[in-house]
């Protein structure tokens, strides 16, 4: 069973000529694994793991207008996050994550309906601490990573937007990957940060309809990764993360959104993934990466009713049904242990106004218990209630 709590607060200010946004959050999770027959561990009993993650991020933007057709916006991001985890079968572990980023976005208006956007940025992240209590000091993984991105977007017409970008996106290993969890997932304190170079291109087309809305989006990308962090499951069902020497991932994502008769909204997406191990190990080279299915699709249909007065929407009540299909994938590098395809059904209700939103979300209505990692079945039927409050001037 899992119990999760999340509390977040966002503050937006505009002290001229700046724009300032501050977001703080507090997340707490407790997971309990009950194994009365000792099927997934060395002994029977109950194990619990608790995590506690407070954090904050501040964004400061300064819009500039060097010329009538040009607009330049330098933006500074500063973030802090503290991660702590402990449990009955796991010693306490904690660390601080600090990051800073600076980006520049330039917009050039070519005409009333067309324009060009150019963006560039750098991001530095540092992990401080991260040692397991009572563990040798060499397990401390204080580390830094530096990322960067370049992107361009061309508004060819009011209904067509084309993008092209490249980014270097390193990632530090998480506490879960470094120190593991209860059950049959072991940690690896010696993990190195992974690095990945990605190039991508995409387009979005919004149909010029009068009474309805229709948009189609496509994104194609190629990622070349070194030291990719990947969970590996051995023949005894024990999973442990490792750094892969290299991997190549090609992806294509398609999405369609439609709003019909002001009361129906449909969103459908399809993902095609070709994730290949390109390391020098003969038994792995050329095989598909574990836990990365080739095909996946997601669909959601909303039925909405709006309360209107003088042409202004004051509130909305709605219901939705969702369908997620995930294709077959594998658990091992040899591609011998397969996980069958799955179909997940969900739904929910929500009420919205200018000041608040209440949503009840139901997932995995059929209580599917397919396991990706031994001892960790897919969460069964899940209900989640969320509340959002807004303050408007």
């Amino acid at each position: 069973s899992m119990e999760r709590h999340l509390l977040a607060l966002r503050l937006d200010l505009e002290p001229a000529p700046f724009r300032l946004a501050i977001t703080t959050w507090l997340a707490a999770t407790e997971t309990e694994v009950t194994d009365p027959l000792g099927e997934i561990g060395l002994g029977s009993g109950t194990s619990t793991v608790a995590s506690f993650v407070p954090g904050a991020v501040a964004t400061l933007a300064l819009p500039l207008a060097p010329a009538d057709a040009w607009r330049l916006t330098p933006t500074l991001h500063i973030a802090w996050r503290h991660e702590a985890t402990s449990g009955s079968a796991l010693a306490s572990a904690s660390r601080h994550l600090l990051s800073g980023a600076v980006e520049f976005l330039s917009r050039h208006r070519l005409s009333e309906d067309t324009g060009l956007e150019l963006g560039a940025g750098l991001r530095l992240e540092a992990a401080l601490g991260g040692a397991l209590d009572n563990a040798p000091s060499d397990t401390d993984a204080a580390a830094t990573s530096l990322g960067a991105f370049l992107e361009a977007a061309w508004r060819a017409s009011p209904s067509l937007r084309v993008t092209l970008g490249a980014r270097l996106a390193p990632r530090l290993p998480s506490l879960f990957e470094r120190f593991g969890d209860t059950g049959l997932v072991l940690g690896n304190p010696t993990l190195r940060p992974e690095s990945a170079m990605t190039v991508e291109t995409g387009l979005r087309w919004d149909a010029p309809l009068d009474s309805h809305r229709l948009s189609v989006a496509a994104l194609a990308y190629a990622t070349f990764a070194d030291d990719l962090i990947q969970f590996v499951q051995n023949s005894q069902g024990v999973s442990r993360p490792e750094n892969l020497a290299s991997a190549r991932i090609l992806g294509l994502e398609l999405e369609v959104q439609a709003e019909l008769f002001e009361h129906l909204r449909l969103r459908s997406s399809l993902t095609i993934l070709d994730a290949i191990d390109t390391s020098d190990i003969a038994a792995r080279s050329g095989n598909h990466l574990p836990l990365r299915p080739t095909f996946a699709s997601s669909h959601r249909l909303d039925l909405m009713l709006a309360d209107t007065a003088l042409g202004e929407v004051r509130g909305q009540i709605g219901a939705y049904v969702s369908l997620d299909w995930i294709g077959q994938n594998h658990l091992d590098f040899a591609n011998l242990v397969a996980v069958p395809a799955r179909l997940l059904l969900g739904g929910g209700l929500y009420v919205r106004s200018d000041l608040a939103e209440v949503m009840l979300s139901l997932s995995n209505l059929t209580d599917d218990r397919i396991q990706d990692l031994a001892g960790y079945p897919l969460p069964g039927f899940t209900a989640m209630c969320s509340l959002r409050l807004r303050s408007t001037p």
Side-chain angles (χ1 to χ4, degrees):
S1 64
M2 176 182 290
E3 184 176 341
R4 179 179 298 168
H5 304 277
L6 175 63
L7 177 65
L9 176 65
R10 178 182 172 95
L11 179 65
D12 290 286
L13 302 173
E14 294 192 8
F18 296 96
R19 292 201 307 263
L20 176 64
I22 301 175
T23 303
T24 61
W25 68 88
L26 175 61
T29 303
E30 182 175 286
T31 303
E32 181 179 281
V33 178
T34 302
D35 185 21
L37 301 180
E39 296 172 295
I40 63 173
L42 297 178
S44 61
T46 299
S47 299
T48 60
V49 172
S51 65
F52 182 75
V53 184
V57 59
T59 299
L60 182 66
L62 176 61
L64 303 174
D68 292 340
W70 282 97
R71 188 174 185 86
L72 177 65
T73 305
T75 304
L76 175 66
H77 306 270
I78 300 176
W80 163 81
R81 186 170 78 250
H82 174 70
E83 298 177 345
T85 183
S86 62
S88 57
L90 178 72
S92 299
S94 64
R95 69 176 178 182
H96 294 274
L97 287 173
L98 303 175
S99 64
V102 59
E103 63 182 43
F104 298 89
L105 179 62
S106 177
R107 294 184 176 91
H108 179 45
R109 188 175 62 185
L110 301 176
S111 67
E112 187 67 25
D113 298 322
T114 63
L116 180 66
E117 296 180 3
L118 301 175
L122 293 173
R123 181 177 185 272
L124 177 65
E125 183 177 40
L128 307 177
L132 191 66
D133 287 358
N134 303 320
S137 60
D138 59 3
T139 64
D140 184 46
T144 59
S145 64
L146 180 64
F149 77 91
L150 292 171
E151 63 181 15
W154 175 41
R155 174 70 71 175
S157 69
S159 59
L160 180 62
R161 188 172 187 264
V162 182
T163 60
L164 178 65
R167 66 179 183 271
L168 175 63
R171 185 179 74 86
L172 300 176
S174 66
L175 284 183
F176 177 75
E177 292 166 335
R178 294 194 61 223
F179 301 125
D181 202 342
T182 59
L184 294 178
V185 176
L186 302 179
N188 184 355
T190 64
L191 284 175
R192 300 180 299 276
E194 66 180 33
S195 62
M197 171 63 74
T198 299
V199 292
E200 61 185 30
T201 182
L203 63 85
R204 180 183 179 89
W205 177 69
D206 297 291
L209 302 176
D210 295 331
S211 58
H212 310 298
R213 294 180 58 186
L214 174 65
S215 64
V216 179
L219 176 68
Y221 57 90
T223 297
F224 303 91
D226 294 323
D227 291 327
L228 182 69
I229 299 174
Q230 177 70 57
F231 274 93
V232 182
Q233 184 168 277
N234 62 21
S235 58
Q236 286 75 41
V238 176
S239 298
R240 185 174 184 267
E242 296 181 5
N243 286 109
L244 300 187
S246 64
R248 185 266 296 154
I249 302 173
L250 303 180
L252 175 64
E253 298 183 6
L254 305 173
E255 182 183 76
V256 177
Q257 296 188 57
E259 293 187 11
L260 308 173
F261 311 111
E262 299 182 354
H263 299 298
L264 290 176
R265 180 187 297 136
L266 174 65
R267 177 176 178 178
S268 293
S269 64
L270 171 66
T271 299
I272 303 174
L273 198 64
D274 185 37
I276 300 298
D277 189 335
T278 57
S279 60
D280 294 333
I281 301 177
R284 300 181 177 180
S285 183
N287 290 347
H288 286 270
L289 296 181
L291 304 175
R292 300 174 190 262
T294 302
F295 299 99
S297 65
S298 178
H299 313 275
R300 172 168 163 166
L301 178 64
D302 285 65
L303 173 62
M304 304 166 295
L305 298 176
D307 176 24
T308 61
L310 300 178
E312 181 180 356
V313 176
R314 298 188 305 185
Q316 186 182 79
I317 182 171
Y320 73 88
V321 60
S322 63
L323 191 65
D324 295 283
W325 178 80
I326 301 175
Q328 175 181 298
N329 62 86
H330 298 87
L331 298 180
D332 62 327
F333 286 109
N335 293 170
L336 298 177
V337 183
V339 177
R342 68 193 66 172
L343 189 64
L344 302 178
L345 180 64
L349 302 169
Y350 53 86
V351 179
R352 295 170 178 159
S353 71
D354 293 337
L355 299 179
E357 176 188 271
V358 180
M359 176 176 289
L360 173 64
S361 301
L362 307 176
S363 59
N364 197 1
L365 295 176
T366 58
D367 201 32
D368 195 325
R369 295 301 183 98
I370 289 177
Q371 297 186 30
D372 285 328
L373 298 178
Y376 289 84
L378 184 73
F381 170 73
T382 303
M384 179 178 294
C385 185
S386 62
L387 170 65
R388 293 186 180 182
L389 299 177
R390 305 182 183 93
S391 177
T392 56

